[in-house]
Amino acid sequence: MAKNIQSLERAAAMLRLLAGGERRLGLSDISSSLGLAKGTAHGILRTLQHEGFVEQDAASGRYQLGAELLRLGNSYLDVHELRARALVWTDDLARSSGESVHLGVLHQHGVLIVHHVFRPDDSRQVLEVGAMQPLHSTALGKVLSAYDPVAHSEATEVERRSFTPRTVTDEQDFESMLDLIRAQGWASDVEETWEGVSAVAAPVHDRRGMPVGAVAVTGAVERVCAGGELRPELVAAVRDCARAVSRDLGAGRF
């Protein structure tokens, strides 16, 4: 049986202590409560502080939980609530469009697929929940990059890989594309990530008006597009779905 990593156990115990005790604790309080030498406790606290999980008050020198833990906790809750609220609407979208529907969120410099509704034609398909998609070339990723400042930074601060001849990689062209997405309220991917595949996506907002994900319809380019352009009724259906999920999450004007 594999042994637990002691330093991680100590870090977890430290976070629980900070979460359950007083608002702020000093180094002596933490080390004595956990039975650790001050040097050991300080080293763990310094690492947690560097990662954003712990913050140190400049005036008192005491420690408290950091904003990164709050962000992770909100992300966990948001994703589960997002999936629950989107189930009915994404099922309806798949039926009305006849195509696959994906629900994605920002995760580790990409788009994490958290829900996937199969194309309703009884064809053989692979469940893509848990798969990652790039930010700069997919419809889901571009919507998140246009509306979420964190996604925008992650998409613009790295080298954008060219997947097909249509992939937009130039920084100025990419920013212009994001401006267009914000103006029209949706994003497309016409063979920019995979040859023969197109998608259209729209953002989902929560009760704070924050973008918490995006919903997309994906299918063969000859079905999703007509005359070289995305089918307008498909764009409208995706936007309606995203708005419905946003309303269920408490968003007002989206």
Side-chain angles (χ1 to χ4, degrees), residues 55-182:
E55 296 173 356
Q56 186 178 27
D57 179 64
S60 67
R62 290 175 171 265
Y63 295 90
Q64 64 183 32
L65 293 180
E68 182 65 10
L69 273 180
L70 178 62
R71 188 187 72 81
L72 290 176
N74 283 339
S75 174
Y76 175 83
L77 293 173
D78 286 346
V79 166
H80 284 266
E81 184 178 5
L82 176 62
R83 284 190 72 253
R85 299 288 186 179
L87 290 176
V88 173
W89 298 111
T90 50
D91 281 350
D92 288 347
L93 179 59
R95 280 194 296 270
S96 65
S97 67
E99 301 294 345
S100 298
V101 175
H102 296 90
L103 187 68
V105 299
L106 177 65
H107 181 69
Q108 294 182 349
H109 310 288
V111 183
L112 174 67
I113 304 301
V114 297
H115 185 54
H116 175 199
V117 185
F118 282 167
R119 186 172 65 253
D121 63 358
D122 296 325
S123 62
R124 185 175 181 179
Q125 299 170 63
V126 177
L127 185 65
E128 296 181 35
V129 172
M132 294 290 293
Q133 293 186 2
L135 281 171
H136 70 282
S137 63
T138 61
L140 288 170
K142 287 190 279 186
V143 158
L144 292 174
S145 299
Y147 286 91
D148 186 332
V150 176
H152 177 267
S153 296
E154 294 183 353
T156 55
E157 293 175 0
V158 298
E159 183 178 354
R160 287 168 292 281
R161 176 184 169 189
S162 181
F163 297 104
T164 76
R166 291 174 172 264
T167 308
V168 176
T169 57
D170 177 77
E171 183 176 358
Q172 186 172 349
D173 291 342
F174 185 69
E175 290 289 3
S176 296
M177 181 174 60
L178 296 185
D179 288 339
L180 176 61
I181 291 168
R182 284 187 286 267

Side-chain angles (χ1 to χ4, degrees), residues 16-34:
R16 291 191 187 98
L17 178 66
L18 290 170
E22 299 176 18
R23 178 173 169 79
R24 295 190 179 111
L25 294 173
L27 176 59
S28 297
D29 301 321
I30 295 170
S31 60
S32 61
S33 295
L34 299 178

Side-chain angles (χ1 to χ4, degrees), residues 3-17:
K3 293 183 178 179
N4 292 340
I5 300 173
Q6 187 181 54
S7 58
L8 293 179
E9 288 183 327
R10 288 173 170 175
M14 199 169 287
L15 292 173
R16 291 191 187 98
L17 178 66

